[in-house]
Structure formats: structure tokens, C-alpha cells
Amino acid sequence: MYSMTGYGRAEYSENGINLVVELKSVNNRNFDFNVKMPRAFICFEDKIRKTVSEYIKRGKIEIFVNFSDHRDARAEICADLSRAAEYYKAAKAISESLGLNNDCTVSYLMKCPDVITDDFTLDVTEFEDVLISTVKKACETFNSMRKVEGEKLVSDMLSRMNTIETLAENVALRAPLVVAEYKEKLKARIEEALSGVKYDETRLLNEVAFFTDKANIDEELTRLKSHISQFRSIVNTVGAGKKLDFLMQEFNRETNTICSKSNDLTITEYGLSLKNEIEKVREQVQNLE
């Protein structure tokens, strides 16, 4: 199991070529990929995306590629004299039209766009294998960090799942007592109100049966127990984040129903504690891939 947040870095440096690949990610429901790299490497964007997707299934991922070439320069500097002449001609026209001194110099002309060019074009295809290899190494470093963080998250969630199981067991032990207590309290109120007058006990039993059916939470407890078992079996599988996210919604649904049906202060208190632990687990699930 991997955390969705992490950082990875890899570097290639040989024969004057230096290539650094860094990546980081934060939580996201889907695979959101963004790469920043030299313009000359744009042709590799799709291949980088496919490579990264082999290591990362979801999250907001940012890739940074830095490249420098310190090999002997092979470029020949050229001056476009016709373009320089056009710039000079334009400067002269402005000078004469506005009555200003023409301070156009060679240094100024050399700074004008496209006057000075070189005939060197970097052939990036020779770096494709090195680039992809470095991306893979960065992803491996990235996953190593995410795995350590993921294991910590899993350990914490399993500990909280034990607490949730204990609270659910407490609710299960308390539930049968609620009906018995309700029957005794209702009987006491009736006897007090009637002051010794004989009453129809069948009506009392019917009222208790109605309350029993209304307050019954056996089904919710059974499903909650099943959810706990599913969580433990899923949590250590790769890419289980989305499944667990959905499962936590089911945890909340069952707990809300228990709280609304219980009609008992003790069970309600257990239910609130359950909701608190479930929310903490849900927050941790958001960090899992």
C-alpha cells in the first residue's frame, strides 16, 4: 500500500551531460499529471506520462526535468546583415521623423531579435533512453518513500479499526438490555398512572414488541462487522484507496442508522465515538493510492 504524497529524485551525469528528474505528488481522486521540462523535450511528454503511470495510479503528480549540456560547443555564430540593416533603417527613420539623435550602435543591433543566430540544433533523440531511464529511477525512489509512509498509515488505520470493532461489540452487548429496560420503565409508568387498577398486559407486550422492532439494530451491527472484515482484507492490497473510500461511506451510513434507531443514551454515546474513529480513518484513507 502506498501513500499518495511523496517525493522522488534521480540524476544522470556523464560526458558533460547533466539530467535531473524530480517528482512530487499530493492527494487527488484520479491520475493528474503535469510535467515541466525544456521545450526541446516536449516530444517525450507522452512517453514520460506512460512511464510514470506504470508506477503511480492516482494523485496530482508534478514532474520537473532539468537538462544541461556542457560538451564542446558546436555552434557557428551568424549575423543576419539584411535584418540588421532593416533595424538600422527603422532607427534612422524614427530619428529624422522625431528630430532625435540616432544612437543606434552595433551592440544595440546585435541585441535585436534574430540578428544573431547559430546553426546548432540539439538532437534530443539521443537522450531519450537516458531520460526515460532517469524518470524510472526517480519513480522508484518516489515509491520507496510512499511505501514507508503508506505502511505507517495502514498501521494507524488498523489500530483504529480495532477500536471501531470494540465499540461495535459494546453496542451489541448493550442493545438487548435496552428493550428490557424499556419494558420495565413502561410497566412502572403504567402502574403508577393507574394506581393499582388492573390493566391489559397484552397491550403492554404489544407496545414493547413495537418498540423492539423499531429499535432493532441487529442488521446494522451485522453489516458493520462485515465492513470491518472487508477493510482488513482490502487495506494491504495495491491501489485500494478508492475501494476504502467507498467502504468508509458505508461505515458512516450504518453508524448513523444505529444512532437514530437506538433510543438509548449509552448506545448514542458509543455511536458518536464510532463516528469520531470512522472520520479519522476516512481522513487517512484520503492519503492512500
Side-chain angles (χ1 to χ4, degrees):
M1 178 58 71
Y2 293 105
S3 166
M4 265 197 287
T5 59
Y7 170 82
R9 184 181 188 277
E11 181 176 359
Y12 171 86
S13 184
E14 189 174 336
N15 300 325
I17 299 298
N18 185 255
L19 179 67
V20 178
V21 175
E22 296 177 283
L23 72 156
K24 65 177 183 178
S25 73
V26 293
N27 298 355
N28 195 281
R29 292 182 64 85
N30 301 302
F31 182 80
D32 185 359
F33 177 87
N34 182 44
V35 59
K36 296 179 181 179
M37 58 185 173
R39 189 174 184 83
F41 282 32
I42 292 297
C43 58
F44 300 132
E45 181 174 354
D46 187 58
K47 192 158 188 178
I48 292 174
R49 177 191 295 271
K50 290 178 180 178
T51 300
V52 172
S53 67
E54 293 174 3
Y55 293 85
I56 307 168
K57 301 307 176 187
R58 69 175 184 143
K60 183 178 177 61
I61 302 106
E62 290 187 290
I63 309 286
F64 303 91
V65 178
N66 293 305
F67 173 81
S68 58
D69 185 353
H70 300 293
R71 294 175 296 180
D72 294 338
R74 292 170 285 174
E76 180 181 345
I77 304 301
C78 302
D80 189 333
L81 299 179
S82 61
R83 186 173 291 276
E86 291 298 321
Y87 280 118
Y88 181 78
K89 183 179 178 180
K92 185 178 179 181
I94 293 172
S95 174
E96 293 173 353
S97 175
L98 300 179
L100 300 173
N101 291 329
N102 187 353
D103 58 354
C104 183
T105 64
V106 173
S107 296
Y108 170 78
L109 291 174
M110 291 180 68
K111 296 176 183 177
C112 293
D114 300 323
V115 171
I116 301 299
T117 59
D118 63 68
D119 65 354
F120 174 66
T121 302
L122 179 66
D123 181 12
V124 295
T125 57
E126 63 177 300
F127 303 114
E128 179 176 354
D129 291 342
V130 169
L131 173 61
I132 299 305
S133 175
T134 307
V135 169
K136 289 181 178 180
K137 289 178 182 177
C139 288
E140 289 167 0
T141 303
F142 175 76
N143 274 354
S144 294
M145 177 180 178
R146 292 198 306 146
K147 186 176 181 181
V148 172
E149 183 64 23
E151 288 173 351
K152 291 179 182 178
L153 291 174
V154 169
S155 177
D156 179 73
M157 289 189 296
L158 288 176
S159 175
R160 294 188 183 282
M161 201 53 54
N162 291 337
T163 302
I164 290 172
E165 185 175 43
T166 298
L167 288 168
E169 289 172 352
N170 290 340
V171 172
L173 291 173
R174 173 64 185 169
L177 302 179
V178 174
V179 175
E181 290 180 3
Y182 176 79
K183 180 180 179 181
E184 291 301 319
K185 289 178 181 179
L186 182 61
K187 183 177 180 180
R189 286 199 298 268
I190 291 174
E191 290 177 349
E192 182 181 356
L194 296 179
S195 300
V197 177
K198 188 175 181 180
Y199 60 89
D200 186 357
E201 191 165 343
T202 302
R203 295 288 300 275
L204 171 65
L205 294 176
N206 287 338
E207 179 63 26
V208 172
F210 175 76
F211 174 81
T212 301
D213 183 63
K214 182 180 177 181
N216 187 278
I217 55 175
D218 290 346
E219 186 177 342
E220 287 75 19
L221 288 171
T222 299
R223 284 200 292 263
L224 194 57
K225 184 178 179 180
S226 173
H227 296 338
I228 293 170
S229 177
Q230 288 180 61
F231 186 96
R232 287 171 174 161
S233 64
I234 293 173
V235 72
N236 282 309
T237 60
V238 177
K242 284 188 176 182
K243 292 181 181 179
L244 293 177
D245 193 17
F246 172 77
L247 188 60
M248 295 318 297
Q249 295 178 39
E250 297 302 307
F251 269 89
N252 262 320
R253 184 175 290 110
E254 304 306 336
T255 304
N256 286 335
T257 305
I258 287 172
C259 288
S260 65
K261 291 174 67 174
S262 66
N263 199 28
D264 178 71
L265 180 60
T266 301
I267 290 181
T268 299
E269 289 175 349
Y270 285 140
L272 293 175
S273 297
L274 273 169
K275 287 173 67 67
N276 182 53
E277 290 299 318
I278 290 168
E279 178 60 23
K280 290 177 181 177
V281 175
R282 190 192 68 81
E283 289 176 355
Q284 298 288 46
V285 165
Q286 301 298 314
N287 296 318
L288 291 177
E289 184 179 77

